[in-house]
Amino acid sequence: MTSALFRRPMPARDLHAYRKAMAGAQLEQRRQQAMFTLSRQLPTTLELEPLVRLFADIVHKVVPFDGLSLEMEGEDFAWAQGVEAQHHAEYGLRLNEQRLGTLTLMRRFPFGKDELEVFEDLLAFLLYPLRNALLYRYTLRLALRDPLTGVGNRLAFDEALAREIVRAGRHDGRLALMMLDMDGFKEVNDRHGHLVGDELLKHFARLVKATARGSDMLFRFGGDEFALLMPETDMDGARQLARRLREVLVVQPLLQREETIPLQSSIGVAQWLPGEGAAAFTARADAALYEDKRSRRAGACCA
């Protein structure tokens, strides 16, 4: 006589509970692994974009999403990965009362309660590295900015010029440089004092920035000399801007108490030549500036 062992099928309710428990256990295992990975890898970078991308890549393995975006408070930084989707989970990021930004998680189908709880646990690992990246970004900006006028300093100019020369070489080669020197600045300092001279420098920088295009980059080259880097600009475009600047400076002097302090500037412009180095390019624009200062011509001197 033979016998056979038969296993009764699990009731549907019990099967559902079993599958839910297994899914929960797997989610918890992925959460633990992600927490370990985040704690090790996030502190390895101080750059905002690589930091956020690293966080997104690790978290996506635990809580799948279609899109993730991050906007920083008071920063010109916004990052997005993936696509917009119907369902959103939005988080205001704060650390010790400091508002860092807003992170939005997106998916085509709803997020489960357990998934959002896990995501919030993982999000906590981003806060300190994110704060550190913001501090690093702020420190870099200070290192590259003239503290008086708020425009880029000489170090920032050198970096931007090298970058734009490479870009111009890869594309159409149009890149212009304008050097500006405030005429009579020493006399203003001698007559009105250095505080008024500082106000004149700030006023001058504001006028140049307001007249130039948004893509143009202004730097304080040293003393009362400034440099304006103009991507995708040829000599004709640089000359036109020089003429507009002269007109603006004439009609917008510095009003200091009851006295009007006129603004004048010598201007030299040059267009980058293919294969030309940064030093030679700058030297040509600078030579044009001093030729204009000597000749006192109405238009800018060009090289």
Side-chain angles (χ1 to χ4, degrees):
M1 185 175 181
T2 61
S3 64
L5 180 65
F6 295 96
R7 179 176 297 174
R8 263 189 289 177
M10 185 179 296
R13 184 176 59 185
D14 293 345
L15 180 60
H16 176 72
Y18 172 76
R19 289 174 175 171
K20 185 177 180 180
M22 288 297 295
Q26 291 172 357
L27 180 62
E28 173 62 20
Q29 184 180 19
R30 294 197 303 270
R31 183 183 78 94
Q32 294 289 342
Q33 292 173 343
M35 290 171 63
F36 177 79
T37 305
L38 290 170
S39 67
R40 291 296 185 91
Q41 295 191 17
L42 290 188
T44 62
T45 180
L46 288 171
E47 298 286 347
L48 269 176
E49 187 170 338
L51 173 69
V52 182
R53 184 183 298 110
L54 179 61
F55 173 79
D57 290 344
I58 295 171
V59 169
H60 187 267
K61 298 174 183 178
V62 185
V63 182
F65 56 82
D66 293 311
L68 185 148
S69 66
L70 177 65
E71 294 185 4
M72 306 307 300
E73 187 78 10
E75 292 284 332
D76 57 345
F77 177 85
W79 184 90
Q81 176 175 297
V83 297
E84 286 276 351
Q86 178 181 358
H87 298 278
H88 293 68
E90 187 173 290
Y91 298 91
L93 306 182
R94 289 180 176 273
L95 183 62
N96 299 331
E97 303 304 319
Q98 178 188 359
R99 182 171 172 78
L100 302 177
T102 301
L103 185 145
T104 304
L105 198 63
M106 295 164 281
R107 197 162 71 181
R108 286 167 290 181
F109 55 94
F111 293 98
K113 179 183 176 182
D114 291 346
E115 287 182 307
L116 291 180
E117 289 178 352
V118 168
F119 179 77
E120 290 163 12
D121 288 343
L122 301 180
L123 187 57
F125 285 82
L126 178 64
L127 297 182
Y128 279 99
L130 189 60
R131 192 274 312 270
N132 293 340
L134 287 172
L135 290 175
Y136 177 68
R137 182 181 173 92
Y138 175 72
T139 302
L140 283 182
R141 278 206 306 266
L142 288 182
L144 297 173
R145 182 171 296 176
D146 174 53
L148 177 64
T149 62
V151 303
N153 59 18
R154 179 61 185 271
L155 177 59
F157 169 78
D158 291 340
E159 292 185 359
L161 180 59
R163 181 179 65 246
E164 293 302 323
I165 285 177
V166 171
R167 183 177 301 171
R170 289 175 178 170
H171 297 92
D172 60 8
R174 292 192 305 162
L175 175 64
L177 175 62
M178 179 184 297
M179 304 297 294
L180 308 100
D181 186 87
M182 296 172 60
D183 295 335
F185 181 70
K186 182 179 184 302
E187 288 74 12
V188 172
N189 269 339
D190 292 342
R191 179 178 177 183
H192 301 280
H194 290 283
L195 292 180
V196 174
D198 288 349
E199 291 302 317
L200 191 63
L201 286 169
K202 291 189 285 187
H203 183 60
F204 181 81
R206 283 193 296 266
L207 292 179
V208 175
K209 285 186 68 176
T211 307
R213 302 172 307 171
S215 58
D216 297 336
M217 294 166 276
L218 180 63
F219 307 89
R220 188 177 177 192
F221 201 71
D224 60 339
E225 189 172 352
F226 291 79
L228 184 68
L229 195 56
M230 298 168 284
E232 299 180 7
T233 302
D234 58 16
M235 187 62 81
D236 288 339
R239 288 194 186 105
Q240 291 175 14
L241 178 56
R243 286 193 291 268
R244 288 201 306 272
L245 277 172
R246 290 187 186 279
E247 295 168 358
V248 168
L249 295 177
V250 168
V251 300
Q252 296 194 48
L254 176 66
L255 303 178
Q256 191 69 18
R257 296 181 184 149
E258 298 180 355
E259 190 165 358
T260 299
I261 302 175
L263 272 174
Q264 290 184 332
S265 177
S266 299
I267 301 177
V269 296
Q271 182 176 353
W272 179 73
L273 303 174
E276 186 175 36
F281 183 30
T282 305
R284 285 196 301 113
D286 213 33
L289 166 70
Y290 284 101
E291 176 60 28
D292 182 57
K293 185 178 286 289
R294 285 191 296 268
S295 64
R296 303 294 183 181
R297 292 186 299 184
C301 184
C302 309

